[in-house]
């Protein structure tokens, strides 16, 4: 085995180290792209929510009219078909799906500007960011396979949707609080699982186009978990107007 006379390490080991370094740099760039897309999506959501909140006619349509159900169904539908849209359609369609998703969320949560104080919204946003950051970091760094946990939590979201519909008719404050805690815990776990999956997807060695699609799809998934956590944490810790 040849040795590098200057370093005393084998050429094979040096080559392996160089490849690992390239992968590490590429992985950091890929994950940074995911988080950048997600952060821009959150910013767009905030802007749209503020614009809607400042427009009384649109605000009334969202808060009191059927528009909220149109937005809710649109969000669910886009979330369900997001993978097909982002990987089968054009790059423009993939981008459009992400920004549309963030915009619809912004319009849907705009009434929260009237329900909660601005101070509590800001406070809960930072609580959500800290919780999301911690769970995403865990998913990125852990060596434990989170697949089984992720599948269980993904199935749990179906039960959560059913429980939300049931509580629309029950109007139980205690059940809503209990459900809020469950939703936050489930989506915190999903954030870790999703981050691990996004990281693993990088190593398949696809083309640049496919890697870019994976990055925006990963941002789409993480964004959904972040916004969901924010909404339900706000229902727990937010101060009402």
């Amino acid at each position: 085995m040849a040795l590098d006379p200057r370093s005393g390490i084998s050429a094979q080991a040096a080559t392996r180290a160089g490849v690992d370094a390239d992968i590490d740099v590429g992985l950091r760039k890929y994950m940074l792209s995911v988080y950048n897309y997600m952060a821009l999506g959150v910013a767009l959501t905030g802007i749209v929510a503020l614009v809607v909140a400042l427009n009384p006619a649109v605000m009334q349509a969202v808060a009191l009219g059927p528009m909220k159900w149109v937005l809710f169904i649109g969000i669910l539908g886009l979330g369900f078909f997001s993978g097909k849209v982002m990987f089968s359609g054009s790059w423009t369609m993939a981008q459009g799906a992400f920004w549309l998703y963030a915009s619809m969320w912004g319009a849907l949560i705009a009434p929260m500007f009237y329900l909660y104080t601005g101070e509590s919204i800001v406070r809960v946003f930072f609580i959500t960011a800290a919780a999301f950051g911690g769970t995403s970091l865990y998913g990125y760094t852990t060596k434990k396979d989170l697949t089984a946990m992720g599948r269980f939590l993904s199935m749990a979201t179906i039960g959560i949707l059913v429980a939300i519909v049931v509580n629309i008719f029950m109007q139980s404050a205690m059940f809503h609080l209990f459900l809020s805690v469950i939703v936050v815990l489930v989506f915190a776990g999903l954030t870790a699982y999703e981050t691990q999956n996004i990281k693993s997807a990088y190593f398949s060695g696809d083309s640049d186009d496919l890697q870019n699609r994976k990055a925006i799809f990963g941002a789409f998934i993480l964004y959904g978990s972040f916004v969901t956590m924010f909404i339900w944490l706000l229902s727990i810790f937010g101060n009402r107007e």
Side-chain angles (χ1 to χ4, degrees), residues 13-37:
T15 301
R16 187 184 305 117
V19 171
D20 290 343
D22 289 341
I23 291 175
D24 190 57
V25 170
L27 177 60
R28 286 201 301 270
K29 182 179 178 181
Y30 166 76
M31 293 302 297
L32 184 61
S33 177
V34 171
Y35 289 122
N36 282 342
Y37 272 125

Side-chain angles (χ1 to χ4, degrees), residues 9-169:
I9 62 173
S10 70
Q12 181 180 359
T15 301
R16 187 184 305 117
V19 171
D20 290 343
D22 289 341
I23 291 175
D24 190 57
V25 170
L27 177 60
R28 286 201 301 270
K29 182 179 178 181
Y30 166 76
M31 293 302 297
L32 184 61
S33 177
V34 171
Y35 289 122
N36 282 342
Y37 272 125
M38 185 198 134
L40 290 172
V42 171
L44 177 62
T45 297
I47 292 170
V48 172
L50 184 59
V51 169
V52 172
L54 293 176
N55 189 317
V58 179
M59 184 68 179
Q60 185 174 10
V62 173
L64 303 176
M67 181 60 70
K68 62 178 175 291
W69 296 110
V70 174
L71 290 169
F72 182 70
I73 293 171
I75 287 169
L76 286 180
L78 190 53
F80 185 78
F81 292 106
S82 58
K84 184 175 182 180
V85 170
M86 291 188 171
F87 290 105
S88 300
S90 66
W91 173 241
T92 301
M93 186 179 295
Q95 288 269 355
F98 178 74
W99 303 121
L100 177 62
Y101 188 65
S103 298
M104 288 194 296
W105 265 118
L108 185 63
I109 68 175
M112 290 183 174
F113 281 94
Y114 286 84
L115 292 175
Y116 300 97
T117 65
E119 181 185 354
S120 67
I121 290 175
V122 172
R123 183 178 69 249
V124 172
F125 176 83
F126 284 108
I127 291 173
T128 306
F132 175 88
T135 53
S136 187
L137 180 62
Y138 172 75
Y140 182 81
T141 58
T142 185
K143 302 300 181 182
K144 181 180 179 181
D145 187 356
L146 303 179
T147 301
M149 181 190 77
R151 287 174 179 169
F152 172 78
L153 294 177
S154 297
M155 292 298 296
T157 59
I158 299 175
I160 287 172
L161 285 174
V162 173
I164 291 172
V165 173
V166 169
N167 201 44
I168 290 175
F169 299 98

